[in-house]
């Protein structure tokens, strides 16, 4: 058999079975394409390399958007979560977010089982070292053992494995993750093909033996009751729920860390890669914030059938003996034993400014990148990119326009636009503050925003579509009920329950609900027709009515934003020759090659004056 003909002829080949790879492969297969998912290790599919949790601030929004488009992450965490909480409950609805602790092993097993059961999808082990090109276009991959798999589209989701280097103290060794080899050769190959490759760093804390922790000294943190699931497909979360625990570092902890900085690879210049700004190591926090007397540590169980505990907040690459010493100064950890030491890892990424908004590489037709290869951090950011890369690979095979979500449509749109417009020089993490229209991009309306598109793509089942349609009918019914039902001053008992004592004339329930002290739950308790509406429907009604004015203003902003997004930039525009622009602006425009005037305006360093010049040129054309 000719090596180029090894195995099947695939429509889509996905390299890497982390969170990005799983979503990319599932999306392509579910859309009807014959798909191959290649991974370095079949037992590490869907592995949580760092903290055993899904969701969090802005990340919970991404998970619900993935679910609304038909991705798998939300269903996976619902099936394997061991504690669910809603964060920022005392703040506005735009920044409320869901987070769940996962049973790490159960999550992996769930995801591998889903992949193995999926039609049109082959899961195989192999280390990709080269892309196969024909006529300047990617048409397959070659593995370390010389096998060539042919594919019409290739999606790279290599995580932290490209030239991965693990640091523990001043010792370092190649690795893509603790106990696993790195990907060797692919990074150099991408550079040979002309792609700009950079170096980043991330890290993880030690894993602790829960049998050696004195939990009586710690503050327990329980999950929400009732549990609120991530996926619209989940009827009820049935898994056993457990608490996390809170403790903190102290003066003694910080002294031990300061005394060992001469053995820190981070502070001795051994690590070259740029680390995450918003998730620094404990030694970085101690040095950068000397005025802080303590830092919180959240002890998170790794699962129901293991004694391993993840100490969130003390990521470190100090030597193991230093890790043990400073951990034992923390209340509750005086006799703790380390099961796995913490470490830092350096890895290669490809500057995402080289991508189209579809996540296809501009200079290499048929090649897509998703996840940490694009400079992002976090499972949720990776999964969102993987889903979009898989979708767009299939759409291009069918000669369809790519699915590109706007900044006003989804956090996924904000994420990808930030990456392809601005690039990144440090691990990118999603925050609600990155979304200028975040009041429109809430968790509660992710289904309304994106489920119709997921259904059109073929990723949402008929049963799910009927459920969604019924919910939308219920929302409209509730809106009409609230607008039509009126309360009068003589309705004293109901008004008393609502805490309203100053009513002079009759008003609609919608009008009353705009008051900050009136909630929809109490209104529903007072009305039989409202009381039968589901909690999710009532929540959406309350938010949309209470924040109606703010939402209207954001929609006006979106309309202005859309006007500039609709002004296309010519693909052949010669930016380097435009008079009136500085050399810096011309070079940045030429490097990004924006698709619209709006995207051009978001390129760092492109001034309003430059946008005005471009506008004049476009009008002349």
């Amino acid at each position: 058999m000719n090596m180029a003909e090894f195995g099947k002829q695939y429509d889509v080949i996905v390299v890497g079975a982390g969170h990005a790879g799983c979503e990319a492969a599932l999306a392509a297969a579910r859309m009807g394409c014959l798909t191959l998912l290649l991974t370095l290790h079949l037992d590490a599919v869907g592995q949580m390399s760092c903290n055993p949790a899904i969701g969090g601030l802005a990340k919970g929004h991404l998970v619900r958007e993935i679910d609304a488009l038909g991705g798998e992450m939300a269903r996976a965490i619902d099936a394997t979560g061991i504690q669910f909480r809603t964060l920022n409950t005392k703040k506005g609805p735009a920044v409320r977010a869901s987070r769940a602790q996962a049973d790490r092993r159960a999550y992996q097993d769930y995801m591998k089982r889903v992949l193995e059961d999926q039609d049109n999808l082959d899961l195989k082990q192999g280390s990709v070292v080269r892309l196969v090109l024909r006529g300047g276009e990617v048409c397959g991959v070659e593995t370390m053992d010389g096998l060539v798999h042919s594919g019409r589209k290739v999606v790279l989701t290599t995580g932290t494995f490209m030239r991965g280097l693990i640091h523990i103290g001043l010792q370092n060794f190649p690795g893509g993750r603790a106990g696993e080899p790195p990907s060797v050769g692919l990074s150099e190959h991408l550079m040979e093909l002309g792609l700009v490759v950079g170096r980043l760093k991330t890290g993880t804390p030690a894993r602790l033996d829960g049998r050696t922790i004195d939990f009586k000294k710690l503050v327990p943190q329980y999950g929400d009751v009732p549990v609120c699931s991530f996926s619209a497909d989940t009827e009820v979360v049935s898994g056993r729920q457990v608490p996390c625990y809170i403790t903190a570092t102290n003066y003694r902890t910080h002294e031990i860390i300061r005394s060992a900085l001469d053995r820190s690879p981070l502070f001795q210049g051994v690590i070259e890669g740029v680390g995450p700004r918003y998730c620094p190591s404990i030694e970085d926090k101690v040095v950068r914030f000397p005025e802080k007397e303590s830092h919180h540590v959240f002890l998170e169980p790794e699962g129901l059938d293991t004694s391993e505990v993840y100490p969130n907040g003390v990521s470190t690459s100090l030597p193991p003996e230093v890790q043990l010493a400073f951990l034992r100064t923390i209340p509750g950890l005086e006799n703790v034993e380390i099961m796995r030491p913490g470490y830092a890892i350096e890895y290669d990424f490809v500057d995402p400014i080289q991508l189209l908004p579809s996540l296809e590489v501009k200079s290499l037709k048929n090649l897509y990148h998703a996840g940490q290869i694009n400079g992002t951090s976090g499972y949720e950011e990776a999964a969102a990119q993987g889903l979009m890369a898989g979708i767009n690979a299939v759409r291009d095979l069918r000669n369809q326009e790519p699915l590109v979500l706007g900044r006003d449509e989804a956090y996924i749109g904000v994420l990808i636009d930030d990456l392809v417009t601005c690039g990144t020089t440090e691990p990118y993490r999603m925050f609600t503050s990155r979304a200028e229209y975040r009041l429109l991009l809430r968790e509660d309306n992710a289904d309304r925003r994106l489920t119709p598109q997921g259904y059109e793509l073929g990723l949402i089942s008929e049963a799910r579509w009927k459920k969604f349609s019924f919910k939308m009918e219920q929302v409209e019914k509730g809106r009409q009920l609230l607008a039509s039902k009126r309360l009068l001053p003589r309705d004293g008992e109901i008004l008393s329950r609502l805490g309203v004592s100053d009513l002079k004339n009759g008003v609609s329930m919608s009008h009353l609900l705009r008051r900050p002290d009136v909630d929809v739950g109490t209104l529903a308790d007072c009305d039989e027709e409202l009381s039968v509406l589901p909690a999710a429907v009532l929540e959406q009604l309350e938010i949309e009515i209470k924040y109606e004015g703010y939402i209207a203003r954001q929609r006006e902003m979106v309309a202005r934003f859309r006007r500039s997004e609709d002004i296309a930039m010519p693909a052949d525009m010669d930016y380097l020759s435009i008079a009136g622009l500085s050399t810096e602006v011309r070079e940045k425009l030429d490097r990004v090659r924006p698709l619209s005037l709006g995207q051009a305006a978001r390129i760092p360093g492109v001034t309003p004056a430059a946008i005005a010049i471009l506008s004049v040129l476009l009008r002349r054309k």
Side-chain angles (χ1 to χ4, degrees), residues 165 167 169-172 264-273 346:
L165 186 66
H167 297 268
L170 299 182
Q171 305 298 314
N172 57 65
S264 164
L266 184 64
F267 287 93
Q268 295 306 309
V270 177
I271 294 176
E272 299 173 3
E346 287 186 279

Side-chain angles (χ1 to χ4, degrees), residues 6 82 94 155 279 291 300 491 495:
F6 180 83
I82 57 178
V155 182
C279 188
E291 73 283 359
E300 303 171 348
D491 297 317
L495 294 172

Side-chain angles (χ1 to χ4, degrees), residues 202-275:
T202 189
T204 189
R207 304 309 195 271
L208 311 181
D209 187 341
R211 296 168 299 179
T212 62
I213 295 173
D214 187 352
F215 290 100
K216 294 190 296 295
K217 293 184 177 180
L218 307 178
V219 178
Q221 184 181 60
Y222 296 98
D224 294 342
V225 179
V227 171
C228 185
S229 63
F230 273 94
S231 176
D233 282 327
T234 304
E235 295 297 333
V236 62
V237 173
S238 57
R240 180 161 66 91
Q241 303 295 291
V242 297
C244 296
Y245 293 86
I246 304 173
T247 184
T249 63
N250 52 55
Y251 177 79
R252 288 177 57 224
T253 316
H254 300 179
E255 280 297 291
I256 290 172
I257 291 169
R258 288 191 190 97
S259 68
L261 292 178
D262 61 334
R263 290 186 283 168
S264 164
L266 184 64
F267 287 93
Q268 295 306 309
V270 177
I271 294 176
E272 299 173 3
V274 180

Side-chain angles (χ1 to χ4, degrees), residues 121-142:
L121 178 58
D122 291 344
L123 177 62
K124 296 184 179 182
Q125 188 164 297
S127 177
V128 172
V129 294
R130 297 182 65 82
L131 300 171
V132 178
L133 281 80
R134 186 181 299 120
E137 297 185 357
V138 175
C139 60
V141 298
E142 180 183 342

Side-chain angles (χ1 to χ4, degrees), residues 56 60 346 378 390 405 447 518 604:
E346 287 186 279
L405 299 173
D447 55 353
V518 175

Side-chain angles (χ1 to χ4, degrees), residues 346-614:
E346 287 186 279
Y347 57 94
D348 284 349
F349 81 107
V350 179
D351 189 343
I353 211 165
Q354 300 166 99
L355 303 177
L356 294 167
S358 64
L359 295 180
E360 185 177 18
V361 176
K362 293 175 182 176
S363 61
L364 289 170
K365 179 67 178 168
N366 302 330
L367 178 64
Y368 296 75
H369 288 178
Q372 284 178 289
I373 191 173
N374 289 339
T376 60
S377 68
Y379 313 142
E380 304 81 4
E381 290 90 340
Q385 294 170 70
L387 177 64
M388 297 304 291
I391 288 170
N392 284 326
V394 174
R395 289 182 68 83
D396 196 58
L397 284 173
R398 296 173 176 170
N399 296 316
Q400 297 172 331
E401 287 296 312
L403 175 62
V404 177
L405 299 173
R407 298 181 71 90
D408 58 315
E409 294 178 294
Y411 272 88
I412 296 174
V414 175
L415 165 67
I416 293 175
D417 184 61
D418 281 353
L419 293 174
V420 304
T421 302
C422 306
T424 189
T425 56
E426 61 186 39
Y428 177 103
R429 178 179 177 177
M430 180 52 71
F431 290 101
T432 53
S433 59
R434 294 191 190 272
E436 54 269 56
Y437 311 115
R438 57 184 172 272
L439 191 53
L440 303 180
L441 308 182
R442 309 181 308 275
E443 275 197 9
D444 69 275
N445 70 355
D447 55 353
R448 174 182 284 189
R449 290 184 278 117
L450 299 174
T451 298
Q453 297 189 65
Y455 181 66
E456 185 180 335
L457 291 164
L459 295 174
I460 296 293
S461 68
E462 287 297 330
R464 170 79 173 268
W465 178 250
K466 288 179 181 177
K467 186 176 180 181
F468 166 74
S469 300
F470 179 71
K471 179 186 174 183
M472 293 301 99
E473 290 169 6
Q474 294 288 89
V475 169
E476 185 54 36
K477 176 184 175 182
R479 184 177 289 108
Q480 292 176 8
L481 284 172
L482 288 165
S484 62
K485 288 180 178 285
R486 296 178 66 80
L487 289 175
L488 302 170
R490 65 170 179 263
D491 297 317
E493 183 180 343
I494 295 177
L495 294 172
S496 178
R497 291 174 65 184
L498 294 171
V500 176
S501 59
D502 58 349
L503 196 63
K504 306 299 182 195
N505 299 297
V507 294
S508 68
M509 284 189 170
S510 291
H511 187 87
L512 276 179
L513 190 53
R514 292 188 182 95
R515 295 189 176 201
D517 53 342
V518 175
D519 67 89
V520 74
T522 308
L523 271 177
D525 290 341
C526 299
D527 185 272
E528 190 174 321
E529 289 184 281
L530 284 173
S531 66
V532 298
L533 296 178
V537 169
L538 292 173
E539 177 192 21
Q540 198 165 112
L541 286 167
E542 180 170 41
I543 292 170
E544 291 184 354
I545 290 171
K546 279 191 182 297
Y547 293 88
E548 189 174 35
Y550 297 102
I551 290 172
R553 281 200 288 275
Q554 286 219 337
R555 290 206 168 112
E556 290 171 7
M557 292 168 62
V558 167
R560 292 195 294 272
F561 162 76
R562 278 289 169 192
R563 285 196 287 272
S564 63
E565 291 299 297
D566 290 341
I567 301 174
M569 301 296 295
D572 59 353
M573 178 82 95
D574 183 5
Y575 293 105
L576 296 178
S577 66
I578 297 176
L581 298 181
S582 70
T583 302
E584 178 191 3
V585 168
R586 289 200 299 266
E587 289 175 350
K588 287 185 173 181
L589 288 167
D590 186 62
R591 184 180 176 215
V592 177
R593 304 209 63 80
L595 301 183
S596 69
L597 188 64
Q599 187 184 6
R602 293 192 295 278
I603 300 172
V606 175
T607 63
I611 296 301
I613 292 171
L614 291 177

